[in-house]
Amino acid sequence: MPFPDERGQVAVVEYRPQWPVEFELLAGELRDALGGLALGVDHVGSTSVPGLPAKDCIDVQVRMRSIDEARDVPLLAAIGFRCRPEPWNRVEVSGGRRCHKLVFAPPAGARSCNVHLREGAGPNARFALLFRDYLRADEDARRAWGAFKQRLALSVPDLLDYGQIKAPATEVLMAAAERWAAGTGWRGPEAA
């Protein structure tokens, strides 16, 4: 659920070359705030894939040594980030395992982003990196995924409805990504 200052409508735009630069600025802020707790800060999601249309919202994954809400929320709140309260922003199932996570919105009025704190080598951290790397590597999959998201956003602009419809399609995409990973020898965050 968006905070009151965030958009609740989906608009998928053409890829913007400034997205990686904007990610680097966010990553620097997060590294400074979290220090040695962060194993890595990754640009993930559709804005991390050159040529892929996306919502103009930077997705950042911070791979943490551990997730500790009592410790992590104040660290990011100190630089204005707001912990999203919904249950689905605290736990996700990936690879058949329940994975603890925390998702943060940007400071009010700041650049649109979602910051996902995940445990370092967890299957959900691997999922985000596999999504990115597969779509970077496979032009046909990238083109088809972008066209799907553009059509979906035009017909279902409500953010929650858009997400509910996109979720099962993402599972199909990720089955192809797993085949690609097996065929290429791609490895997850333990190798990143």
Side-chain angles (χ1 to χ4, degrees):
M1 294 286 293
F3 283 100
D5 61 298
E6 297 178 299
R7 292 178 51 134
Q9 298 293 301
V10 175
V12 173
V13 299
E14 292 299 323
Y15 179 80
R16 296 183 177 166
Q18 72 265 26
W19 285 338
V21 174
E22 293 171 330
F23 159 75
E24 288 300 334
L25 294 172
L26 285 166
E29 287 180 60
L30 294 165
R31 283 185 197 101
D32 289 347
L34 295 168
L37 297 171
L39 298 171
V41 181
D42 311 306
H43 189 183
V44 296
S46 294
T47 63
S48 71
V49 180
L52 181 63
K55 297 187 309 285
D56 187 21
C57 178
I58 305 291
D59 280 304
V60 179
Q61 171 174 268
V62 181
R63 288 178 284 119
M64 303 286 287
R65 294 183 189 286
S66 64
I67 303 294
D68 180 343
E69 190 168 340
R71 175 198 67 206
D72 301 337
V73 171
L75 289 172
L76 291 184
I79 59 170
F81 285 84
R82 301 167 286 174
C83 189
R84 295 195 182 277
E86 302 84 11
W88 62 86
N89 283 317
R90 299 198 183 294
V91 175
E92 62 192 342
V93 176
S94 187
R97 249 180 58 203
R98 286 177 52 87
C99 303
H100 187 58
K101 71 171 184 173
L102 294 172
V103 181
F104 293 82
R111 201 254 181 270
S112 181
C113 68
N114 285 304
V115 176
H116 305 259
L117 269 57
R118 295 183 171 118
E119 291 185 353
N124 52 345
R126 178 187 179 279
F127 180 98
L129 294 173
L130 177 57
F131 173 91
R132 177 194 72 192
D133 292 352
Y134 171 62
L135 288 175
R136 283 178 175 175
D138 190 307
E139 183 179 346
D140 290 338
R142 181 174 55 250
R143 190 177 314 110
W145 188 247
F148 163 71
K149 290 191 331 165
Q150 287 174 316
R151 286 190 311 273
L152 180 58
L154 287 173
S155 47
V156 184
D158 177 78
L159 182 62
L160 292 177
D161 293 340
Y162 173 90
Q164 291 294 313
I165 294 169
K166 191 176 85 166
T170 303
E171 290 180 28
V172 173
L173 175 77
M174 293 307 290
E178 289 292 354
R179 288 190 300 276
W180 171 82
T184 62
W186 180 90
R187 295 185 50 208
E190 69 279 357

